[in-house]
Amino acid sequence: MSACATTYLDHAATTPLRSEVADAMAEARSIPLGNPTGSHRPAQRARRLLEESRDEVAAALGRDPGDIIFTSGGTESANLAVLGTLGAAVAGGAAAVSVVSSSVEHPAVRESCRAAVQLHGVNWCELAVDHDGVVDLDALADLIDDSTTLIAVMLANNETGVVQPLGAVIETVRAHSATARIFTDAVQAATFMDLASWTAEADLVALSAHKVGGPVGMGVLAVGPTTPLAPQHHGGGQERERRSGTQDVAGAVGLAAALRLSVSERRQAARRVAALRDRLAAGLLASVAGTHRTVAAGVAILPGHLHVCFEGIEREELLLALSERGICASGGSSCASGALEPSYVLAAMGVPDALVRGAIRFTLGHDTTEADVERALATIPGAIAALRHAH
Ligand code: PLP
């Protein structure tokens, strides 16, 4: 994003559509696409493109194509995972139904759990994290019993980029319950992590295309064949009766193309982006007094994430000042109105309120350049000094 005057460091919010993805989608649309359920030629072509895309998405996830449900994005995938699993248990007459979710899940998961409490009367409890935002495995073991239906632990956090020890989470769950299902929200992780190995043992996995350079409005829920799922959309029975509604074929082509690029570039991209992120972190720590990295060194985080707290700064003011200077960053937890809400993620990590007020998330992506980082480093210290001086 260095060609214009904007330095875009908000890839965790959304990543610009990659040109290769736009080309693949344009090609798919170059001949009219029919409805994949139809029988004429345009419908047959749509069905072929949809199923080829499904095969590619399945391969990136190390799953069978039949496990892949196309959805409208990460939020719908999380709703289907949580409400679908819990709803199926309730409909199946389970004596007790309960869900455990980490206390740092995205609102798509948290609010789905809350809805399940209201709609189905299920029990919901949150799993504590430590000061770095990593789930507490002992607490997890204590929370699981025969009534536990679902455990939701994200692969990587959207605010801090912290990667959860998903393998150990799954081992702990399996050691304490033969029936509990595990759902992982891999929306943030998909660009840089090998999902086929990281999520192989999870029962349900959510993805979103626009976080990996694909189109907005396209997502996936991967569900193993033995996981009961109550559909949340009712209608024509598409996606093997699990998600009714005409599929977005061009969106599926775009998602498959974006994942193909991520898989082929992942290793190199992760190294390059992490080096740029580290340069940004070192530069800020050296040039701005009172800068704290929210997550301790040595804790696994996504390569593109840098979460810092600036002492004596109000994040809304800083984000505005940075935006005026062409730097796009985020407070990490905005609601639909754009207003910044107090971060429950940072609260769960025990970050002191005074630091939470100055918490900023910079997220780098595939198109971030050295020039972007140098520009950010040339701009941010001055913006902070001006704000501190004004108070
Ligand atoms: N889960 C995580 C971890 C996210 O970061 C997001 C989006 O920010 C979502 C779910 C929701 O995805 P979508 O924007 O595709 O609905």
Side-chain angles (χ1 to χ4, degrees):
M1 273 242 170
S2 46
C4 56
T6 298
T7 296
Y8 186 78
L9 300 176
D10 200 13
H11 285 79
T14 194
T15 299
L17 189 74
R18 299 195 61 168
S19 59
E20 299 90 332
V21 172
D23 290 348
M25 293 175 72
E27 198 189 325
R29 289 190 179 117
S30 63
I31 309 171
L33 283 169
N35 187 318
T37 55
S39 52
H40 46 65
R41 287 238 172 111
Q44 286 170 14
R45 179 168 172 268
R47 191 155 60 243
R48 181 175 54 74
L49 289 175
L50 186 69
E51 295 315 319
E52 284 171 2
S53 303
R54 194 187 308 280
D55 290 349
E56 274 208 67
V57 172
L61 283 166
R63 305 230 159 211
D64 286 334
D67 292 359
I68 303 302
I69 304 175
F70 286 121
T71 69
S72 65
T75 299
E76 187 193 328
S77 297
N79 273 257
L80 179 55
V82 173
L83 291 163
T85 312
L86 298 172
V90 170
V97 179
S98 72
V99 56
V100 175
S101 65
S102 90
S103 51
V104 295
E105 293 299 302
H106 187 272
V109 174
R110 247 183 144 211
E111 296 312 314
S112 295
C113 292
R114 204 184 308 284
V117 173
Q118 283 157 7
L119 291 170
H120 301 302
V122 309
N123 275 319
W124 171 36
C125 59
E126 286 195 301
L127 169 63
V129 295
D130 66 13
H131 284 296
D132 290 310
V134 178
V135 291
D136 180 336
L137 294 173
D138 292 332
L140 175 62
D142 288 344
L143 286 172
I144 301 169
D145 61 28
D146 288 342
S147 77
T148 310
T149 312
L150 183 69
I151 289 95
V153 174
M154 67 204 319
L155 185 48
N157 184 262
N158 43 299
E159 286 189 43
T160 60
V162 167
V163 175
Q164 297 295 347
L166 192 65
V169 166
I170 295 173
E171 252 176 52
T172 305
V173 173
R174 302 285 188 235
H176 290 82
S177 168
T179 53
R181 309 288 170 170
I182 296 149
F183 165 48
T184 193
D185 172 350
V187 164
Q188 289 289 335
T191 305
F192 293 117
M193 292 176 70
D194 177 3
L195 298 183
S197 65
W198 274 87
T199 68
E201 302 299 324
D203 298 296
L204 305 110
V205 183
L207 292 189
S208 171
H210 75 104
K211 308 288 185 177
V212 288
V216 174
M218 189 70 210
V220 158
L221 180 66
V223 191
T226 60
T227 298
L229 194 74
Q232 303 299 301
H233 284 60
H234 304 278
Q238 287 91 341
E239 301 297 297
R240 297 188 175 197
E241 309 281 338
R242 297 168 300 184
R243 197 274 189 183
S244 287
T246 302
Q247 294 98 335
D248 175 358
V249 175
V253 167
L255 170 58
L259 282 177
R260 195 185 319 135
L261 283 170
S262 296
V263 169
S264 69
E265 296 172 354
R266 193 166 46 219
R267 272 191 200 181
Q268 240 189 332
R271 263 200 303 274
R272 190 187 75 81
V273 170
L276 290 175
R277 185 270 318 276
D278 291 346
R279 161 88 188 109
L280 179 61
L284 289 177
L285 286 165
S287 60
V288 182
T291 303
H292 301 264
R293 276 192 84 161
T294 316
V295 180
V299 175
I301 56 171
L302 292 174
H305 268 68
L306 174 61
H307 196 283
V308 285
C309 298
F310 297 111
E311 281 175 28
I313 285 294
E314 295 294 331
R315 62 182 173 157
E316 287 86 345
E317 288 179 13
L318 179 55
L319 289 172
L320 190 63
L322 292 181
S323 167
E324 280 165 358
R325 292 163 171 81
I327 309 286
C328 305
S330 155
S333 60
S334 45
C335 66
S337 70
L340 288 171
E341 297 175 325
S343 164
Y344 59 81
V345 171
L346 300 184
M349 292 164 64
V351 178
D353 283 350
L355 286 182
V356 170
R357 277 204 287 279
I360 303 283
R361 176 186 74 181
F362 299 101
T363 45
L364 291 63
H366 65 88
D367 59 352
T368 307
T369 62
E370 273 180 42
D372 288 323
V373 170
E374 294 314 320
R375 185 152 177 263
L377 286 174
T379 309
I380 298 167
I384 291 179
L387 286 175
R388 284 181 175 156
H389 185 72
H391 282 119

